[in-house]
């Protein structure tokens, strides 16, 4: 995860991948989403905020976002704190 930006009731996340695979983004305050067959490079994925996420955004709080890259059968996961 390289950048994040709140746009209304959604969160725009920029991820950078080194290999082709599937990226799953999840966390408290967002609706989980899986983007399949992403090529190597930078991609933008939009996540919908839940009621909890919108409340956190209104108060400029942080949420924990998990990103998981699956390439063939190997999984790499990273957790980041995102300020809304």
């Amino acid at each position: 995860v390289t950048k994040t930006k709140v746009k209304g009731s959604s969160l725009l996340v920029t991820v950078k991948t080194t290999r082709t695979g599937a990226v799953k983004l999840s966390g408290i305050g967002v609706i989980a989403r899986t983007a399949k067959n992403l090529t190597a490079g930078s991609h933008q994925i939009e996540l919908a905020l839940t009621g909890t996420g919108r409340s956190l955004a209104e108060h400029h709080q942080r949420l924990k976002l998990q990103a998981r890259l699956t390439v063939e059968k190997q999984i790499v996961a990273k957790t980041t704190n995102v300020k809304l």
Side-chain angles (χ1 to χ4, degrees):
V1 176
T2 57
K3 290 189 335 189
T4 57
K5 183 178 182 179
V6 177
K7 294 181 71 177
S9 63
S10 63
L11 180 67
L12 185 65
V13 180
T14 304
V15 294
K16 186 176 182 182
T17 60
T18 55
R19 300 199 37 203
T20 301
V23 175
K24 180 175 183 179
L25 297 168
S26 62
I28 295 174
V30 296
I31 295 175
R33 181 163 179 203
T34 302
K36 298 180 180 179
N37 296 325
L38 290 182
T39 57
S42 183
H43 301 278
Q44 290 184 331
I45 302 170
E46 195 166 350
L47 301 173
L49 292 173
T50 62
T52 303
R54 287 192 300 272
S55 177
L56 290 171
E58 286 175 7
H59 295 94
H60 302 289
Q61 298 292 314
R62 294 181 177 268
L63 66 84
K64 194 178 281 190
L65 188 67
Q66 289 181 320
R68 189 172 78 182
L69 172 65
T70 305
V71 177
E72 294 172 4
K73 293 189 178 183
Q74 296 178 341
I75 298 173
V76 178
K78 181 177 177 169
T79 303
T80 59
N81 284 323
V82 176
K83 187 172 184 192
L84 302 175

